Amino acid sequence: IDNALTTAIAWLPSRHLLIYWNGSSFAETQVNGADMPGEVTSVEAVTASLARLLANDASGHVFQVDISLQIGNVISQVLLPGIKGPAFQQYGFLVSQGAEGLEIQSPNGLARTLPFSAPEVRYERMSSEWVHIASPATHQDWALHLTDKALQLSILPVPKTSLPGGSQLRHAQEVAR
């Protein structure tokens, strides 16, 4: 949710389904998986009738894909030059890992790079101003604060656990491999 409740939206990858709040109830829109260039890494409701997704193809290219929430068709698909996936978009900010570190492009086009290096990075929304960054390979987590006035990357402590080798969540992820 970026603003009003009508910006609540989720992507269900196994079903190629968008679920969103239409103002009175949750609605579903089926998206043709063949129209998607690859794995979806973020989704946002741009308007009541338009969703914007970021997707990475097998080569790591990142595409911005606009989808009609009424019929599920891809309206536009644009390659984002110079950005390698995975990438994540939140509240107008675009986050990706580059050769020099964590690259953040603000809604006004200003680009900044923070020192950062980790393999197999994953992103997820923590709130409208925070992004959780995780590296399952290193078992390390970070919190990225993104606003027009603040840009801060904080390393998160490893959770204490009674399980050998990490938290219950990490243990379940390891068993699933």
Side-chain angles (χ1 to χ4, degrees), residues 139 158-172 174:
H139 300 287
V158 175
K160 293 182 180 181
T161 180
S162 59
L163 290 173
S167 70
Q168 182 66 41
L169 176 61
R170 291 198 189 281
H171 181 71
E174 294 296 320

Side-chain angles (χ1 to χ4, degrees), residues 44 112 139:
E44 64 181 343
R112 297 209 23 216
H139 300 287

Side-chain angles (χ1 to χ4, degrees), residues 49-133:
S49 61
L50 181 71
R52 179 162 293 146
L53 289 74
L54 289 186
N56 304 322
D57 69 8
S59 299
H61 299 105
V62 178
F63 294 84
Q64 184 176 14
V65 183
D66 288 349
I67 296 178
S68 164
L69 289 173
Q70 279 72 36
I71 55 178
N73 287 350
V74 171
I75 296 171
S76 69
Q77 181 174 304
V78 177
L79 173 67
L80 300 179
I83 298 174
K84 285 291 191 183
F88 189 78
Q89 190 163 18
Q90 176 167 298
Y91 207 52
F93 289 90
L94 183 62
V95 180
S96 64
Q97 191 172 7
E100 301 297 317
L102 198 61
E103 297 178 358
I104 297 107
Q105 185 174 358
S106 67
N108 65 9
L110 179 65
R112 297 209 23 216
T113 303
L114 297 176
F116 182 84
S117 178
E120 301 176 26
V121 172
R122 299 281 183 215
Y123 305 97
E124 64 184 346
R125 180 185 311 261
M126 291 173 73
S127 73
S128 60
E129 294 185 357
W130 291 87
V131 176
H132 173 229
I133 303 171

Side-chain angles (χ1 to χ4, degrees), residues 27-48:
E28 298 180 354
T29 298
Q30 187 71 47
V31 177
N32 182 355
D35 292 341
M36 297 302 295
E39 177 187 7
V40 173
T41 58
S42 68
V43 60
E44 64 181 343
V46 178
T47 67

